[in-house]
Amino acid sequence: MTTCPECGADVTLHDDLEAGEIVDCTTCGVELEVIETAPPVLDRAPELEEDWGE
Amino acid sequence: MTVKIGVLYSRIRADEKLLLSELRERGHEVVKIDVRDLALAVDEAPEILADLDIVVDRCLATSRSVYVTQFLSAYGVPVVNGPETATVCADKVRTSLALDGAGVPTPATNVAFTTDSALAAIESFGYPCVLKPVVGSWGRLMAKIDSRSAAEAILEHKSTLGHYEHKVFYVQEFVEKPGRDLRVVAVDGEPIAGMVRSSDHWITNAAAGAETTALEIDDEIADLVAAASDAVGGGLLGVDLMETDDGYTVHEVNHTVEFKALNGSVDVDVPAAVVDWLEAKAAAEAAGEDGETTDGTELEVTH
C-alpha cells in the first residue's frame, strides 16, 4: 500500500511490482509509474507520445 | 548457459513483465536499462552496457528504439532487434518498400507530400481507402476515407495540426478483410504462434479491443512470415496479414512486438519461446558469429 501522488488516496499494489510499470489509482483514475519498488514510490506516469507503441 | 542480458525499456508493460519473469526464472542476470536515464556518447558506451552478452530492445517509443539500437550497434553490443530492422519497421514507407521489393504481397500504397497530390492519390484508389501515419501504432490516427469531402477534411486537419511526419501522406487501398486480420509472432522468420484478431470495427488491433483466438499457421502463412521477416532484416517480429480473394497480404511488421494478447490466446508459452531464441542468439554471439564483439571492455565505434 502506498499513496497516490495525485490525489492522496491509498493505492494497493501487487507483489511482483516492477520499476517502470504503470498502475492505476482507483480513486482518481490517474496512471502512475512505479519509480521504486522497495519501498514503493509512485509518480504520475508520462503521457503517451505520438510514436509510442508496437 | 546463463547470460547477462540487458532489457531496454521506458515502460514496463505486461509483455516486459512476462519476459523478465521468464529470464529470471531461468537464472539469467537481467540488467534493466531505462532509456530515459541514458545519455549516449558517439564514441564511448555508457557503463551500464559493459559486459552484457546481449540486449533486447523493448522500448515503447519508436524513436528511442531506432536511435538506441544504432548506438548499441556502433558500440559493438549485440542487440535484438538490430537497428536495421528497427529502422525499417518503424516507418510504414520503408516497410512497404521492403515488403514489395522482396516480392511479399502487400496492399497497394501511394505516398504523397502535399494535400493536392494526396487527394489525387486517394481519388486514384477510390472510396473507401485508408490514410495512415507513417509512424504510429495501436491503430491510432488511421482514417478510413469514405468520400471526397471526408478526404478533404482529414487532409486539411493533418496538414494544419500534424507533426511534420503527418505531412507525409501514406495512402493505401482498403482491403475488404472478413472482419479479422492475422498476427504471427516469429523469431528470424520462424513462427512461434499466431492469432486471429476479430472485430466489428475496421481496425482489428488487439490494443483497440479486438477479440483474439488461436491461428493455425499453414505453409502459405509460414512462407510469407519468413519472407516478410527477411525483407525487414529479421529478429523478433509481429507480422500482420489480411486475407484477400487472391491470398494473404502483409500490411505491417512490428519490431517491438507486444505478445501478451497472443500468449493468452494460444497454448504455446510465448515468453518461453522468446527466451529460447534470446539464449540462442546470445550463444551465437558468444561463439563469435557475425564478427560482433561481446567484450564490453573493448567497445569500439564501427561507424
Side-chain angles (χ1 to χ4, degrees), chain A residues 14-22 31 33-35 37 45-54, chain B residues 9 11-12 17 20 24 32 36 60-64 135 137-138 140 163 166 183 254 256-258:
Chain A
H14 45 86
D15 292 337
D16 63 341
L17 207 60
E18 195 79 54
E21 188 178 351
I22 305 299
E31 283 193 326
E33 179 180 352
V34 178
I35 306 298
T37 56
E47 295 290 325
L48 283 178
E49 294 178 17
E50 197 170 57
D51 73 333
W52 283 27
E54 62 168 355
Chain B
Y9 77 97
R11 176 176 280 201
I12 299 292
K17 289 195 78 167
L20 290 168
R24 287 170 179 151
K32 286 172 62 183
R36 294 170 297 180
L60 178 59
T62 304
S63 52
R64 295 170 185 174
V135 174
S137 50
W138 299 330
R140 293 170 305 167
H163 185 272
H166 291 294
R183 154 67 60 86
N254 299 280
T256 49
V257 60
E258 295 172 344

Side-chain angles (χ1 to χ4, degrees), chain B residues 107-193:
Chain B
T109 301
N110 275 204
V111 173
F113 303 112
T114 67
T115 53
D116 286 346
S117 54
L119 187 59
I122 289 167
E123 295 265 298
S124 75
F125 279 117
Y127 301 101
C129 68
V130 177
L131 191 62
K132 296 179 178 180
V134 288
V135 174
S137 50
W138 299 330
R140 293 170 305 167
L141 300 177
M142 299 218 304
K144 179 183 173 190
I145 303 176
D146 291 312
S147 66
R148 183 182 175 99
S149 56
E152 290 170 344
I154 291 166
L155 291 172
E156 184 179 2
H157 277 84
K158 283 176 70 73
S159 178
T160 304
L161 301 174
H163 185 272
Y164 80 89
E165 283 174 331
H166 291 294
K167 295 179 176 63
V168 180
F169 300 101
Y170 180 95
V171 185
Q172 200 162 63
E173 67 170 322
F174 180 74
V175 176
E176 287 282 0
K177 60 187 175 186
R180 61 180 184 253
D181 76 350
L182 315 175
R183 154 67 60 86
V184 177
V185 171
V187 283
D188 287 334
E190 185 70 29
I192 292 176

Side-chain angles (χ1 to χ4, degrees), chain B residues 28-50:
Chain B
H28 297 304
E29 185 181 349
V30 177
V31 179
K32 286 172 62 183
I33 304 168
D34 187 339
V35 293
R36 294 170 297 180
D37 297 335
L38 295 178
L40 296 158
V42 293
D43 58 350
E44 189 177 13
E47 186 67 25
I48 196 169
L49 300 179

